[in-house]
Amino acid sequence: MSGPDTALPDTALVVDLWRGDAGGGGLVRYRVPVDPGQTILDVLTWVQRHAEPGLAYRFACRVGMCGSCAVMVNGVPRWACRTRAIPVARQGRLEIRPLRHFPVIRDLVVDFEAFFARWRRALGRFAPASPPPDALAVIAPDASDRQLVDAAIECIGCGICLAACDSVGANPDYLGPAALNRAWAAVNDRRDDTMGHLRAAARDGGVHACHAQGSCRRFCPVGRDPAGAIVGLKRRLLVAALKGRL
Amino acid sequence: MTEFRLFLIQRITAGLLLVMGVAHLAILLAATQAPLSAAAILARTHANPFWPAFYAVFAMTAATHAALGLRVIAREWLGWRGTAWGIGLWAVLVTLGLRAAWIIA
């Protein structure tokens, strides 16, 4: 392409992008001009605008809220929009691949269906006790159970924890960190029935499939602690099992 | 749920192994510091049924913990999803452990 912004400066990032689809693919090399402060999303956008219009990648908000732009960058799952390219490049090189443990649709776009199916299997939603109480629950912001809920909510559903989790890779039945983190938030909601989440977490592929490596916590871009949530679920399950409630 | 129960058994046996393993090391150190000959050690284990009972439980706990752990490793690394070989491994380990406990009884 021609145009003033397509000329490569003296320094350029060497970007190997995975291109392909569910049938297979491979890395294709592009040279992307260095722009101080550019993000991985900026790199992808540059490639699409100037080198490969057919490149498929996903983004929406560009400010770290929507959780749609996660990709593997040099082997690490990261949100593209909030990751600066230069600090994560290795000797000026970036290798960008679709998220691990997700089926590829095309290029960097992956299928999230199985991710959200895990949330459903983990009962990763509010499941109120029935019948509902007559009065509305009053939950103080500094109540200990509310603090546990606070620590677990506001996951942006980016899939980075699932991509980072080696237990998911070893055991595809495993519910994974995001779904169990959501279940943990519900378990600590005093309006919730609780037992449904615990039973779901005790099924085959539940919390016991976690090997506590902690990659989910390490790579979560919004500072959630799914590993801690899973430990909490294990403790509650142990107590429930000892009381014969499972 | 089966998997979760097996997970709980593995955790419980891990706790037991921690206590019994430390006790076993202490016994080893005491026996070698004394020092006791093999014949003297066997004379003591023959005289007191506590020792074969302790080591029978210790061996079964270790066999159960090891079989469950190897089963998970085999499932995740080798894709062995079956249960027969795990039960077989557990039976072999328990037999070896109980045989050892029987010999010192």
Side-chain angles (χ1 to χ4, degrees):
Chain A
M1 289 178 69
S2 61
D5 56 349
T6 58
L8 286 176
D10 293 331
T11 54
L13 285 165
V14 176
V15 181
D16 291 324
L17 282 182
W18 194 91
R19 304 212 59 222
D21 55 27
L27 293 172
V28 179
R29 178 160 290 183
Y30 301 93
R31 293 180 66 81
V32 178
V34 169
D35 183 10
Q38 74 196 131
T39 64
I40 297 296
L41 185 60
D42 293 332
V43 169
L44 296 175
T45 301
W46 190 93
V47 171
Q48 193 192 54
R49 287 184 182 171
H50 303 283
E52 183 49 71
L55 176 68
Y57 64 106
R58 201 184 260 140
F59 72 96
C61 75
R62 298 172 294 157
V63 289
M65 291 175 69
C66 72
S68 61
C69 66
V71 289
M72 303 298 296
V73 182
N74 284 346
V76 175
R78 297 182 184 280
W79 47 0
C81 69
R82 303 271 286 173
T83 302
R84 290 256 168 93
I86 302 298
V88 298
R90 289 190 191 136
Q91 297 173 328
R93 290 172 188 271
L94 291 169
E95 186 180 292
I96 305 178
R97 292 174 178 268
L99 280 180
R100 284 168 87 209
H101 308 147
F102 285 81
V104 172
I105 297 174
R106 189 162 70 83
D107 297 342
L108 302 174
V109 175
V110 295
D111 187 352
F112 266 66
E113 170 52 31
F115 177 75
F116 290 113
R118 284 181 159 95
W119 284 46
R120 291 193 292 275
R121 276 199 292 136
L123 194 63
R125 61 175 174 79
F126 177 53
S130 60
D134 295 331
L136 291 174
V138 178
I139 303 173
D142 57 351
S144 59
D145 54 346
R146 173 71 219 195
Q147 304 270 322
L148 289 171
V149 173
D150 279 344
I153 58 175
E154 297 189 17
C155 160
I156 60 173
C158 62
I160 282 177
C161 56
L162 196 84
C165 177
D166 287 339
S167 297
V168 168
N171 181 0
D173 294 335
Y174 175 39
L175 292 170
L180 290 169
N181 180 67
R182 180 66 189 89
W184 176 239
V187 162
N188 287 297
D189 189 327
R190 69 180 72 159
R191 304 164 303 163
D192 193 282
D193 176 48
T194 300
M195 286 310 297
H197 308 290
L198 293 181
R199 288 195 190 96
R203 282 197 206 116
D204 292 357
V207 286
H208 49 275
C210 165
H211 296 323
Q213 291 171 315
S215 295
C216 51
R217 171 170 47 204
R218 181 174 170 195
F219 293 109
C220 175
V222 290
R224 301 302 85 184
D225 181 11
I230 291 165
V231 169
L233 283 170
K234 283 178 175 172
R235 283 202 192 112
R236 295 281 179 93
L237 275 169
L238 176 63
V239 172
L242 291 176
K243 289 182 176 175
R245 294 178 66 201
L246 282 179
Chain B
M1 192 62 87
T2 307
E3 292 292 325
F4 180 68
R5 291 212 175 95
L6 293 177
F7 167 77
L8 279 187
I9 292 170
Q10 200 187 18
R11 286 300 170 96
I12 291 164
T13 52
L16 284 173
L17 281 177
L18 186 65
V19 175
M20 300 183 93
V22 169
H24 173 60
L25 287 175
I27 293 163
L28 277 182
L29 286 173
T32 51
Q33 289 295 312
L36 292 178
S37 66
I41 293 171
L42 278 175
R44 282 165 168 75
T45 63
H46 288 318
N48 190 342
F50 170 79
W51 295 115
F54 173 83
Y55 276 101
V57 174
F58 187 25
M60 281 197 291
T61 306
T64 305
H65 186 79
L68 286 173
L70 288 172
R71 176 180 165 276
V72 173
I73 292 170
R75 279 167 69 106
E76 296 192 357
W77 288 79
L78 305 174
W80 294 3
R81 310 291 287 185
T83 53
W85 76 269
I87 295 169
L89 174 67
W90 177 76
V92 168
L93 293 175
V94 166
T95 305
L96 289 174
L98 291 182
R99 179 172 164 272
W102 178 254
I103 287 168
I104 65 164

